[in-house]
Structures are given as structure tokens and as C-alpha cells.
Amino acid sequence: MSDLSDAYQLDYFEESGFTRQECSECGDMFWSRADRDTCGEPPCAEYGFIDNPGFDEAFSLSEMREAFLSFFEERGHTRIDPYPVAANRWRDDVLLTQASIYDFQPLVTSGTTPPPANPLCISQPCIRMQDIDNVGKTGRHTMAFEMMAHHAFNAREHIEDPEEYAYEGEVYWKEETVAYCVELFEELGADVDELTLIEDPWVGGGNAGPAFEVIYEGAELATLVFMSLEQDPDGDIEMKDGNRYSEMDTYVVDTGYGLERWTWVSQGTPTVYEAVYPDMIEFLKDNAGVELSDEEEAIVHNAAKLAGRMDIDEAEDIEAERDTIAEHVGVSIDELLELMAPLEDIYAIADHCRTLAYMLGDGIVPSNVGTGYLARMVLRRTKRLVDNVGVDAPLDELVDMQADRLDYENRDTIRDIVRTEVEKYRETLDRGGRRVRQLADEYAEKGEPIPVGELVELYDSHGIQPDMVEEIAAEKDVGVDVPDDFYSVVAERHGGETDADETEGVPYADRLAELPDTDQLYYEDQQRTEFEAVVLEVFDRDDERFDVVLDQTMFYPEGGGQPADHGTLSTDDVTAEVEDVQRYDDVIVHTVDADPGKGEFVRGQVDATRRKRLMQHHTATHIVVHSARQVLGDHIRQAGAQKGVDSSRIDVRHYESVTRDQVKEIESVANDLVQDNVPVTQEWPDRNEAEKKHGFDLYQGGIPAGEQIRLIQVAEDIQACGGTHVARTGDIGTIKLLGTERIQDGVIRLTFAAGDAAIEATQRTEDALYEAAEVLDVAPEAVPETAERFFDEWKARGKEIEDLKEQLAEARAAGGADTEEVDVGDTTAVVQRIDADMDELRAQANAIVEQGDIAVLGSGRDGAQFVVAVPDGVDVDAGAVVGELAGRVGGGGGGPSDFAQGGGPDGDALDDALDDAGEILRSIANA
């Protein structure tokens, strides 16, 4: 790694008496005003603030948050509101917000768009799934936390084209950032001599830079990152990830101050959890009956000071670290575990409930993918912890306690989601338990423990937690490999971060880059379908088609789930059919079936009927989503959409099936809006102003780039959208919901038609109804009742047939002309030929076995088929008998030792095979 020591040499350090030192334990370089042996961070040092608060006064979460934000406001920073914890609401490369800088990546940090303020301060709720296994154990880790932060966005002075970036010049950099940090500590009454700033270069997301970890009394309270490098294979600087980097044109102050830890240090409680969740922890202890004597309290208290050693990301051997703690506090490791295990569960429950409140409060719906999977994982782990520790309060009540503290208004929906998920979890456990027992049997035979891969698959497929697998496997004396970071492994598998969808290669990329942007006439007048243009370029494709670029176009390119316009481009000599339209950056390419000629003047004609139907369906999509939110709840968000000319579909995130009554209500709300004939308007506001005014629900259909974004407003519904729309809702005509289906867990598809397509769809349904009425010879309105009556009669007759078959089987089992009885040891075997189907053979075999006899039955209905059934306690393998019989008729078969079936194609050999049944039975019985 390149030497970055010069990057940490600040005038501020020299002026303020800080010196650069090396930790005697870990070897890290750090800065401090006092001469120290260690860097001050566990495990190199213990927590020093427990029972000895680090600041002049104790703060609550809200008080500490306000103290931080006010401090920076007084120093020229603009306070901005926090973003949601679901980062995929405004960016497509990550799922959850893990740091305050996520709010401004990638558009602001790259200089593509300006920040909402510069400099700014914020207290951003975050969720880090990778910390899940540390929660409750280290005393300091929380999965949900608020990152207080101040940011400054700078651009270098020597940039050739300053207008290339959305901000310019330097606001402030390292000197001021470190000075602000130390000044904040001083203002709160900290002993600055106890402060250490550890040099810890940062890399992530293709960027890097020098950074400080700020440690006070053993707690990491801040990280100061100076994002100034970008990944470059030809760069001069090699960072700790092994990649090379070079300087960025922009450089960003990226700080993070953990609100919960600052509050903890101010109070000096044994763990961060008592400082953040005091009321809930007391409630959980009381509910679970966790009571400690004074002596036990003292042991727990002393152990808390060393809990930082339990960090699974740092410790080489967690059990060894726990043993060290036990020795330090003077108890055995078993005694320490007995005391700490229920408390660690309670701490984790409090934290996980807060995490769920953030997730569900911000509209994440549990499912099997993305943020929904992560929410489900947290919920199921929390439920297991609740059951383990003996808390009998419903989980929805516990999550609601945190949602109330966080002031969420959708608490009823949050509770409903939790109740629904808990019930799904119960059903999943019932099914999954059988699979665990199967696995335990398999690995018992191998003499191996159940591996991590199987554990992860069990969790993914059935929600089975590792401790439950251990319980079931122990019954079979099978071990289980459970890593300390199991839940982090699972979370990583489903992505704290995701790669943005890679776009297909751009055709003719070099030549397209040389062309000017295409003037998009369809935004100026969406009702217009004729225009004139000049052909700037023609590309000859390999499929007898041509790609044409014009200086301006009325043809809408495919995008946002809306298909491209079709139509024609005409010159005096050529009329070319436009079959597809695509957009590459700001150049629009038309695929046509004839070459209009480069430089030619063309007349464009958009297919007006197709354009109208697409506009009707696109505006209807906005209306249907809006109506679904009114009926189903504010958590409804778009998960995908596809518009068409005959019908469209919209996928929404929802935690349960949509009832027929809800479908009718959504349809009614949508058509009321159509009949109100309100205008459909568009505007192009500044991105930051739009987000501040309307929030991130703007981005239902995708996340546009640029400083200005196009908004479409339909009554109260406002969305960022690039598609074409009708002028007024009345232009849609009508909206008809054609159906709903659950396409995956947590996602419901609503299919609908608009305008003429809605009428056509309704007529198709009516045609089907009238045809059914004609077949049943009843009036259309009587079809449901008649169909139900016919179905009931059909089921009753089926039941009657089954009863008759059983009676026939019993009668045949009593003996007959085609029945032979054979002695097999102390048991009688009944050998019969019955030319019946397999259902009847099985029924008769069961009837014979109930009498205590072996059943050997053959049928010549389809080749030769056999069923063999053996009563309990009789040492005859039915599978082996069937195998022998089937072999005599040219086939095969088998099954369990008590019931098997098989057969072959040679029906003529059936009787001979049955004649040999007695010999076969006795041979297998004596084997």
C-alpha cells in the first residue's frame, strides 16, 4: 500500500499539540495530545467511560442529536432532513442506507447534481446488516443507528471545464474537519487528552481517501473520511484493497458521528442498549422474568467493560475472548454465559425491533428478494430470540413500541405486517422441520456435521434458524457448523449492496457520441403526431434494417416500461416504417425498414392510434398505483410496470393477497379520478427542490439523472416520469382491472386496461359469460349459482364412486374365483388378479392388510401392474416382491418395505407372474 503519511500531517495537529504515535498492541498510527501506549480502541484498551460518563452532562438521543446539529448550524452548515432507510428509493446500486454519504451518491459526489446545501449537516437513520451478529454481544453494536454527519462538497481549482460539475471551489477540507471534531468534544466537556485519531485509509464503491477513526475513552465516536481518490488502473496510489487510485476532480468531506454511541458515552451505562432503549429493556427483562442478584449485576457490569473484545470482525477466537472476560470478572465461562445469554438476547430484541420499525415504517414490505428479504430475516430472527428468552408479548406490540418512539404514522400497517409475517413464519417452520430431520439423517449416515451451506439454504428456503437446526440435529447426534457471523453471511448473500443493472453495449458508440442531442418534440406537445426533421446519420444493420438519427423527433423511445412509438419516416422517394425507437444518452435512434438517406429532409408520422392507447395506459398506471395506495395503504410502491396498447400491468409491494372487494374499490377510486377530468400536468423543477417538497415517492418508476427532473401530476399523485400522457384524465375514458396475482412473495401484480382496450376486455369477459350461460342453458346472472351446483354434484358423485370402489375392494378381499391364499411363515398372503385402475388396487390392498394379511394384487388393464402391501410386524419387503414380479413382465418397480407398486408392458405374462407370487414371497421372507 502506498504511504499516505503526508496526507495526515495537518497544521492543526502541530498548532494544537497533537503528535503522531504508534500503538504498542496493534501497530496502528494515531494522533493524540497525550503520550499514550495504545491507540485506545478495544481490544487494545477497555471502555473507560462506563460508570464515568465522558461528557459534562448526560444526553438523551434527541438531546444529543440537537446538540450536534445546532453545533454545525452555528458554524455555517444547513440542516437537512434525513432520507429513508431504503436507499433503493433514490439510487439503484444499494438496498439500505448504511451511511449518511449514501444520500448523496452517486449523483452529488460525482458532481453530476448539486447537493441540497453546501456545507450541510444531517442525522441519518442507517441499517448495517453486517453488524447483526455483533448486536447484543459487544455492548456497542446496533444494527439500526443514526449517523450524525457534516459534509462539504469541493471541486479542484485546476479543472479545465468548471461547468462540467454541479459545484466548484473548496468549501473546507481536512484542517477544518478535524478542528470541528475536536471543538465539538470540547464543547461537550470531554477531556481532549483522552482523544485519539487513528489513521485508517478508507476505500469503497470505487473511491478512496485518507481517514481518521476518532476514539474517546475506548469508544469509536466518529469517522472522518476525505474522499479524494477514484479507482484508476494507471493511478499512482495503491490502497489497502490492492487497487490503484488517482486524484478525483471533486473531493468530499464525509464524516460520521454515531448518535447512539455519543449518547452512551454521555450516560456511562454498561452498554449502549441501556442508553438507547432503557424503557424497552426494562419491559423485556420484566416480561421474561430476568432478575439478577446484586452480585450477578456486578459481574455483568464488570464484563460490560470488556465486551468490546467480542467483536466477531476483530477477534480471532470469540470463545477464547469470552473465556478471557470470564477469568477477568472471576467466574467460569459457563456461569458467564448463563448470565449474559438472556441479556444479549434482550439487547438484540430491542435493537432488532427498532430496525424493523425503521424498515416497515419507511415502506419496506417483507418478501424473498432485496430489502424485503432483509426485513424478513430480521423479523424471523427477532421472533426466534423472543421465543428463546421467554418474552410472551406479541412481536407486533414490541415493534410498535419502537415505531411509536420514532413517530411513524403508519403504525397500524406496521403491526398488521408483523402479525402476517409471524403467521407465515409458523407455517414455514412446520414444513421446514421435516427437511431438517431429513438432513440430520443424511449427515448421520455420513458421520459429518451439517455444513454452513446447508444452514444458509435452510434459512433461505424455510426460515429455519441455526439454533433450531442444532436442537433437531442433536436428537440424531449430528453436529452443526454454525459460524459466529451466520446472519451476516446470509445478509451478504442477499445484498447490502447490489450491482446496478448493466446496460447492453451501445451500438455505434463512438459515432453516436459525435452526434448532437436529439430534440425531443414529444415533450413539447404530446398530442401532436406529425413533424419534419433532417436525417443526421444512417447506420446499416445486419438484418436488412437501418438505424436512423434525426435532429429532432416526435417518436417516443422505449423507456420506463412504455413501448416505443411506431409510424413512418417519408421523403419524396422513400417511406420507411419505424419499427423501434431507442434512446442512448440523449441521442434517439429509429429502427426502420428502408434507408431514407443521410442529409435528407423527412416527414415523420407517428401511429396516432397506438400513441393514444399507450398514453391512456401510461396515465392509467399512475392512477391505478395512486388508487391502490388509497385502498391498501401508504406502503404501496411500484415494483415494476409494463404498458401496452391492449392492457398494462403494475407490480406493487404488498404483504397479503388483494381481495375482490379491494379490487372493486381500487377500480372505483381510479374511475372517479377519470370522471373528474382533472388536468395531467408536467413540470421540470430542480431535483433537490422536488425531493424536498415531494419526497422519494417521486421515483416510483425509476430514478432519473440530471439537475432537473420531469414531474407528472395527476390530481394528488406526483411522480418523476419520462413517458407520454393524456392531457386530462377524462381522455382515458375508463379503467378496468382485469385481475390480480401474487407473482412473488410480497409483490402483487395488477393487470388492467384503459380506454377502448378496457371496453374490449369487458366485452371478452361478457362473451365468455354468455357462452357459459348458453352451455348451462341458464340466464347469464344464474351462471355462478348453476356452476356451483354442478360442481357440488360432481364432487358428491366422485365421493360416491370412491365409496363404491372401497366396498368392492372389501368384497373382493373376502375372496373369490381369482383369489389364491398362500402361507408365508405365520402370515397368509392373498394373491388376486383384479383388472382395475391403480386407485382401486391400492384401496383393495389396504383392505386386505387391515385384515392382517399380505396383499399381492395384479391388474391387466394397462400392460401388467402390481401392488404389494405388508402388515406391520411381517418381515417381508414389499419393494423387493414388486421388483421380482415386475421383472417377469418386462418392467420394474419398488418402494418402501410396507407398500410398493410397479409393472411392465407384457400383460400376457401377468397370470404366470401371479402364480409365482407364493414362491417369491417365501424366498424373500427367508432371505
Side-chain angles (χ1 to χ4, degrees):
M1 189 179 98
S2 299
D3 183 7
L4 296 181
S5 57
D6 287 347
Y8 297 106
Q9 302 289 335
L10 305 183
D11 292 340
Y12 174 83
F13 285 149
E14 185 175 352
E15 294 165 2
S16 302
F18 283 79
T19 58
R20 191 168 188 252
Q21 304 171 46
E22 183 175 356
C23 178
S24 61
E25 293 289 329
C26 67
D28 284 347
M29 304 303 298
F30 65 92
W31 294 80
S32 177
R33 259 187 1 190
D35 291 333
R36 304 175 55 94
D37 290 329
T38 72
C39 62
E41 183 178 25
C44 301
E46 298 178 12
Y47 296 143
F49 58 87
I50 294 175
D51 298 329
N52 183 29
F55 302 135
D56 282 347
E57 57 182 289
F59 290 81
S60 66
L61 283 175
S62 59
E63 290 168 344
M64 182 60 77
R65 182 190 303 115
E66 184 57 36
F68 176 89
L69 295 173
S70 296
F71 175 88
F72 281 98
E73 277 186 317
E74 292 165 4
R75 289 156 180 78
H77 293 67
T78 300
R79 180 190 306 209
I80 67 168
D81 292 334
Y83 287 36
V85 296
N88 59 354
R89 298 265 294 280
W90 70 89
R91 53 188 295 191
D92 55 13
D93 58 334
V94 294
L95 298 177
L96 296 172
T97 307
Q98 297 191 48
S100 58
I101 196 65
Y102 276 42
D103 301 352
F104 314 111
Q105 291 174 318
L107 297 177
V108 177
T109 53
S110 66
T112 304
T113 63
N118 198 13
L120 60 83
C121 59
I122 188 172
S123 188
Q124 174 61 51
C126 300
I127 295 175
R128 286 189 180 169
M129 299 297 297
Q130 60 266 41
D131 288 337
I132 188 170
D133 294 289
N134 272 326
V135 174
K137 294 181 172 61
T138 65
R140 73 176 186 268
H141 279 93
T142 59
M143 186 164 44
F145 65 97
E146 282 189 45
M147 180 177 284
M148 305 183 296
H150 61 99
H151 297 283
F153 303 91
N154 309 295
R156 301 191 189 280
E157 300 291 346
H158 64 264
I159 298 174
E160 291 183 9
D161 181 12
E163 295 185 1
E164 180 181 353
Y165 300 101
Y167 43 86
E168 58 183 331
E170 181 173 293
V171 180
Y172 62 79
W173 192 224
K174 290 183 284 187
E175 300 280 354
E176 297 88 342
T177 301
V178 172
Y180 282 142
C181 180
V182 176
E183 188 179 348
L184 176 61
F185 276 97
E186 289 175 329
E187 183 159 301
L188 295 178
D191 180 359
V192 175
D193 286 345
E194 292 297 322
L195 204 62
T196 61
L197 288 86
I198 302 174
E199 297 176 6
D200 184 26
W202 171 87
V203 295
N207 296 118
F212 291 110
E213 287 183 358
V214 183
I215 311 298
Y216 180 60
E217 297 282 10
E220 181 186 345
L221 294 189
T223 304
L224 313 178
V225 174
F226 304 101
M227 187 190 301
S228 54
L229 305 173
E230 60 187 354
Q231 199 166 318
D232 177 359
D234 300 320
D236 297 328
I237 301 170
E238 182 182 349
M239 296 298 283
K240 61 185 179 182
D241 63 348
N243 292 312
R244 304 198 72 81
Y245 291 79
S246 59
E247 280 194 345
M248 298 163 55
D249 287 341
T250 60
Y251 53 108
V252 179
V253 172
D254 171 20
T255 69
Y257 294 67
L259 170 62
E260 290 74 15
R261 291 189 188 176
W262 281 74
T263 303
W264 178 27
V265 170
S266 80
Q267 295 183 19
T269 55
T271 72
V272 70
Y273 314 111
E274 283 95 354
V276 178
Y277 317 116
D279 296 338
M280 188 166 193
I281 286 173
E282 282 305 312
F283 173 84
L284 291 169
K285 283 182 179 178
D286 183 63
N287 188 283
V290 176
E291 296 182 14
L292 301 180
S293 66
D294 291 343
E295 182 182 354
E296 290 171 334
E297 286 280 9
I299 293 171
V300 169
H301 205 77
N302 291 330
K305 297 179 182 180
L306 298 169
R309 305 177 69 94
M310 296 295 294
D311 187 338
I312 61 171
D313 298 321
E314 303 291 339
E316 294 183 5
D317 185 338
I318 285 293
E319 291 309 311
E321 294 294 348
R322 197 183 286 277
D323 195 37
T324 299
I325 296 172
E327 183 179 347
H328 185 86
V329 298
V331 297
S332 71
I333 191 169
D334 289 338
E335 289 174 300
L336 184 64
L337 274 171
E338 187 177 351
L339 286 174
M340 295 304 302
L343 289 175
E344 289 174 357
D345 283 354
I346 283 172
Y347 296 151
I349 291 167
D351 171 76
H352 291 6
C353 285
R354 184 187 187 205
T355 302
L356 287 168
Y358 273 131
M359 286 178 146
L360 306 181
D362 276 354
I364 294 175
V365 175
S367 68
N368 287 331
V369 295
T371 54
Y373 178 90
L374 299 176
R376 175 168 287 167
M377 187 183 84
V378 176
L379 190 149
R380 290 181 173 182
R381 184 172 195 257
T382 310
K383 174 59 178 166
R384 185 72 173 163
L385 290 170
V386 164
D387 293 343
N388 280 351
V389 81
V391 171
D392 62 9
L395 184 56
D396 62 288
E397 179 182 322
L398 300 179
V399 175
D400 184 60
M401 291 171 67
Q402 295 289 7
D404 185 22
R405 288 181 65 239
L406 296 171
D407 294 326
Y408 280 111
E409 296 179 357
N410 58 338
R411 288 168 55 197
D412 288 344
T413 299
I414 292 172
R415 295 193 70 160
D416 198 22
I417 290 174
V418 174
R419 283 192 292 264
T420 300
E421 278 296 305
V422 167
E423 185 56 39
K424 287 180 181 177
Y425 185 36
R426 286 198 190 98
E427 295 169 359
T428 302
L429 288 179
D430 289 342
R431 295 192 301 269
R434 293 191 291 272
R435 175 57 184 148
V436 176
R437 289 180 176 83
Q438 259 183 331
L439 269 181
D441 286 337
E442 290 175 20
Y443 283 92
E445 288 182 15
K446 296 178 183 179
E448 299 173 2
I450 298 176
V452 176
E454 296 281 16
L455 285 184
V456 174
E457 190 59 40
L458 280 170
Y459 188 88
D460 268 356
S461 301
H462 303 287
I464 303 294
Q465 316 265 349
D467 55 348
M468 182 178 177
V469 178
E470 286 181 307
E471 288 176 17
I472 296 174
E475 298 170 6
K476 310 280 186 180
D477 292 324
V478 176
V480 181
D481 285 336
V482 185
D484 293 319
D485 61 346
F486 172 78
Y487 290 97
S488 299
V489 171
V490 175
E492 185 177 354
R493 180 176 179 177
H494 289 266
E497 299 199 10
T498 64
D499 292 327
D501 291 336
E502 294 186 7
T503 55
E504 295 181 7
V506 177
Y508 341 109
D510 293 342
R511 292 168 68 185
L512 285 177
E514 297 172 356
L515 295 172
D517 296 347
T518 308
D519 192 5
Q520 301 162 33
L521 302 177
Y522 45 82
Y523 286 146
E524 297 174 8
D525 183 356
Q526 297 175 81
Q527 318 306 315
R528 182 177 156 200
T529 57
E530 297 180 355
F531 69 102
E532 296 175 338
V534 174
V535 178
L536 300 182
E537 187 61 88
V538 177
F539 300 99
D540 193 349
R541 295 162 55 105
D542 296 331
D543 57 358
E544 300 183 356
R545 299 289 187 273
F546 302 87
D547 283 340
V548 175
V549 178
L550 309 175
D551 65 330
Q552 59 182 6
T553 187
M554 188 61 70
F555 284 94
Y556 178 79
E558 180 181 12
Q562 179 175 327
D565 283 334
H566 291 173
T568 59
L569 293 177
S570 303
T571 66
D572 291 340
D573 302 318
V574 175
T575 296
E577 293 287 337
V578 178
E579 300 173 350
D580 189 26
V581 187
Q582 297 293 327
R583 175 174 175 165
Y584 303 103
D585 290 328
D586 288 317
V587 177
I588 295 174
V589 178
H590 309 71
T591 300
V592 298
D593 65 354
D595 182 356
K598 181 177 178 179
E600 289 292 326
F601 184 81
V602 294
R603 297 177 297 279
Q605 174 65 61
V606 176
D607 182 332
T609 300
R610 177 182 173 86
R611 162 71 72 83
K612 177 184 176 183
R613 291 176 78 128
L614 287 171
M615 289 196 303
Q616 288 174 321
H617 278 96
H618 201 143
T619 307
T621 300
H622 288 223
I623 292 174
V624 170
V625 173
H626 174 75
S627 302
R629 293 193 81 177
Q630 304 303 304
V631 175
L632 302 177
D634 289 340
H635 63 283
I636 291 293
R637 287 187 175 84
Q638 183 174 319
Q642 183 61 52
K643 294 83 178 177
V645 293
D646 296 319
S647 67
S648 293
R649 57 174 170 77
I650 183 79
D651 300 335
V652 297
R653 303 194 186 282
H654 188 49
Y655 54 92
E656 59 186 359
S657 299
V658 180
T659 67
R660 177 59 187 158
D661 286 343
Q662 288 172 328
V663 168
K664 291 192 290 187
E665 190 175 354
I666 294 169
E667 191 176 90
S668 177
V669 172
N671 281 297
D672 285 346
L673 195 49
V674 170
Q675 291 171 18
D676 288 343
N677 197 28
V678 299
V680 179
T681 61
Q682 67 172 344
E683 60 174 327
W684 295 80
D686 174 81
R687 178 189 208 92
N688 288 321
E689 291 177 4
E691 290 176 352
K692 184 176 181 180
K693 183 176 181 181
H694 303 295
F696 296 100
D697 282 343
L698 285 174
Y699 304 133
Q700 292 277 337
I703 304 156
E707 294 186 41
Q708 278 73 42
I709 56 176
R710 179 176 182 250
L711 299 186
I712 295 296
Q713 180 164 1
V714 185
E716 298 175 357
D717 182 75
I718 302 173
Q719 295 185 37
C721 179
T724 56
H725 291 269
V726 297
R728 305 185 71 89
T729 57
D731 297 338
I732 295 174
T734 189
I735 296 173
K736 180 65 182 174
L737 262 67
L738 306 178
T740 68
E741 63 173 319
R742 192 183 78 164
I743 60 169
Q744 67 184 50
D745 204 14
V747 179
I748 302 295
R749 173 165 293 170
L750 305 174
T751 305
F752 62 92
D756 291 343
I759 296 173
E760 293 163 3
T762 302
Q763 289 172 341
R764 287 194 297 270
T765 302
E766 288 181 344
D767 288 345
L769 176 62
Y770 276 93
E771 287 176 17
E774 186 174 347
V775 169
L776 297 172
D777 194 23
V778 296
E781 59 270 18
V783 167
E785 180 183 349
T786 305
E788 184 178 12
R789 175 165 53 83
F790 281 6
F791 181 69
D792 289 342
E793 290 175 359
W794 173 78
K795 282 200 303 184
R797 285 177 182 150
K799 180 66 168 61
E800 185 178 349
I801 290 170
E802 288 301 314
D803 290 344
L804 289 172
K805 282 184 176 181
E806 288 183 12
Q807 292 173 24
L808 179 60
E810 290 172 2
R812 284 175 168 164
D818 293 329
T819 300
E820 178 186 0
E821 292 188 354
V822 177
D823 290 332
V824 182
D826 296 331
T827 307
T828 299
V830 176
V831 182
Q832 282 186 319
R833 171 169 177 162
I834 308 169
D835 291 330
D837 59 27
M838 290 300 289
D839 287 341
E840 191 172 340
L841 286 184
R842 284 191 288 266
Q844 182 153 339
N846 288 330
I848 293 171
V849 166
E850 285 176 5
Q851 297 174 6
D853 297 332
I854 299 171
V856 180
L857 308 180
S859 170
R861 175 170 289 188
D862 182 15
Q865 300 294 326
F866 301 99
V867 170
V868 176
V870 179
D872 290 340
V874 176
D875 192 17
V876 172
D877 187 338
V881 175
V882 162
E884 288 287 340
L885 291 170
R888 285 165 164 72
V889 295
S897 60
D898 61 341
F899 195 98
Q901 62 187 51
D906 190 357
D908 293 337
L910 173 62
D911 288 334
D912 290 341
L914 289 174
D915 288 343
D916 295 339
E919 180 184 338
I920 293 170
L921 285 165
R922 284 187 285 268
S923 172
I924 289 174
N926 295 326

